[in-house]
Amino acid sequence: MTGPGEEPFIAAVKPLVDAIGGELLPADEAGQDDVVLAWEGADVVAVRLPQLADSLDHILAALERRQGRPLSELDRRAKQEVVRMLEARGAFSVRHGVETVAGALGVSRFTVYNYLNREKGV
C-alpha cells in the first residue's frame, strides 16, 4: 500500500480519517466517490468517506467517549450544548437526524426542536 517515506503521511492523516468515520484503502482501489491523497507527487492512499447518517452515529459515539458516559445521562444544559454543536456540524440536515439525536440524548424530538429554536431566539 505504501512506498518509502509514505508511512508518516498515512500516520498523519489517519486520526482525521478515523474522526470522520472514513476508511483508508490503497489508492489503486479507489472508487469514483473516494478521495485519493497524494504525497510528493504520487498517489498514496484513498479515503472512503462515510455516508452522512453513518457520520452522525460516529459523531454521537465520539461525544459519548469524550463525556465518559451515555449522552442520555447529561444534564439539560449539557444536552443543549450537544445539540448546538451538532447543529453547527450539520447533523440536522441528515434524514432522521433529529430522531437519531433525540434517541441518543434520551429526549423527545419535540425537546430537540425546542433546543434548536431556543438557539435561534424563536
Side-chain angles (χ1 to χ4, degrees), residues 41-59:
D43 292 345
V44 176
V45 67
V47 178
R48 181 154 295 152
L49 299 172
Q51 298 298 314
L52 286 176
D54 294 337
S55 291
L56 180 54
D57 289 338
H58 190 80
I59 290 167

Side-chain angles (χ1 to χ4, degrees), residues 5-50:
E6 294 170 355
E7 283 297 329
F9 176 75
I10 292 173
V13 299
K14 187 172 182 347
L16 174 61
V17 173
D18 289 346
I20 64 170
E23 176 187 354
L24 291 172
L25 57 145
D28 60 356
E29 293 179 19
Q32 181 178 343
D33 294 329
D34 297 331
V35 178
V36 177
L37 303 177
W39 179 253
E40 296 180 349
D43 292 345
V44 176
V45 67
V47 178
R48 181 154 295 152
L49 299 172

